[in-house]
């Protein structure tokens, strides 16, 4: 039997939503072992002079707890 935990993080990228998600998961993987999934809870953008300058994503990271 496995027990999983969910933690919430926010990541950002000037490139795209997909890049923000990838960067968030990559960074979380440095300190969290056993990541099994990610849910993009929310997406926001920073706008400057009518242009999107940064994508921000709220991510829920799921990982299995060690025994």
């Amino acid at each position: 039997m496995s027990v999983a935990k969910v933690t919430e993080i926010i990541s950002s990228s000037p490139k795209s939503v997909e890049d923000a998600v990838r960067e968030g998961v990559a960074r979380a993987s440095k300190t969290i072992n056993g990541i099994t999934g990610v849910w993009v809870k929310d997406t926001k953008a920073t706008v400057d002079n009518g242009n999107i300058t940064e994508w921000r994503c709220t991510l829920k990271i799921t990982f299995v707890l060690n025994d």
Side-chain angles (χ1 to χ4, degrees):
M1 182 177 117
S2 296
V3 176
K5 181 170 175 65
V6 177
T7 190
E8 189 171 277
I9 65 170
I10 298 171
S11 61
S12 64
S13 169
K15 296 178 187 176
S16 67
V17 171
E18 183 178 347
D19 191 57
V21 174
R22 288 183 190 279
E23 291 294 323
V25 171
R27 174 56 186 90
S29 294
K30 291 181 180 181
T31 55
I32 299 173
N33 296 320
I35 294 176
T36 60
V38 60
W39 170 41
V40 180
K41 179 180 171 187
D42 193 21
T43 305
K44 298 178 184 179
T46 302
V47 177
D48 185 27
N49 289 328
N51 295 309
I52 294 175
T53 57
E54 182 179 56
W55 292 96
R56 294 181 185 162
C57 296
T58 303
L59 309 175
K60 292 212 173 221
I61 305 285
T62 304
F63 58 97
V64 176
L65 297 177
N66 295 330
D67 290 331

